[in-house]
């Protein structure tokens, strides 16, 4: 792909807009969550065009590597049973 400077600048500008919009959306989500967790608070909010529902989830995660070490597995055993894959990311920074 041709690294056209205009294309790179367009990508950077779009990512900056997305970051700003994401921050705004996260602030609104936090306000809704806070309102929903008040005593007697509703978990459903309606606008003219959209409806938002706050859903609480109890999420648990197991640190399998730590668990396996506690159960006596060696680093070598863990490594033999660990699969790896490549992933790629594009990072854009301002100049």
């Amino acid at each position: 792909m041709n690294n056209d400077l205009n294309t790179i600048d367009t990508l950077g500008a779009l990512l900056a807009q997305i970051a700003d919009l994401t921050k705004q959306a996260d602030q609104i989500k936090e306000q809704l969550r806070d309102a929903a967790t008040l005593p007697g608070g509703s978990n459903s909010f309606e606008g003219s065009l959209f409806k938002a529902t706050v859903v609480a989830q109890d999420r648990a995660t197991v640190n399998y590597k730590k668990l396996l070490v506690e159960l006596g597995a060696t680093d070598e055993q863990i490594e033999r049973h660990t699969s790896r894959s490549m992933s790629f990311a594009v990072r854009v920074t301002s100049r």
Side-chain angles (χ1 to χ4, degrees), residues 51-67:
K51 177 180 178 180
T53 305
V54 177
V55 179
Q57 296 176 336
D58 183 12
R59 190 178 297 180
T61 333
V62 175
N63 182 333
Y64 283 101
K65 184 171 182 180
K66 208 172 195 178
L67 175 62

Side-chain angles (χ1 to χ4, degrees), residues 23-83:
K23 184 177 177 181
Q24 289 177 38
D26 287 345
Q27 289 172 341
I28 293 170
K29 288 177 187 178
E30 187 175 326
Q31 291 172 357
L32 294 173
R33 185 205 66 218
D34 290 347
T37 56
L38 289 173
S42 173
N43 70 332
S44 182
F45 305 89
E46 293 198 30
S48 299
L49 302 174
F50 298 95
K51 177 180 178 180
T53 305
V54 177
V55 179
Q57 296 176 336
D58 183 12
R59 190 178 297 180
T61 333
V62 175
N63 182 333
Y64 283 101
K65 184 171 182 180
K66 208 172 195 178
L67 175 62
L68 290 172
V69 168
E70 189 175 308
L71 294 174
T74 65
D75 286 341
E76 294 78 22
Q77 289 171 318
I78 294 170
E79 186 62 33
R80 278 198 310 269
H81 297 283
T82 301
S83 59

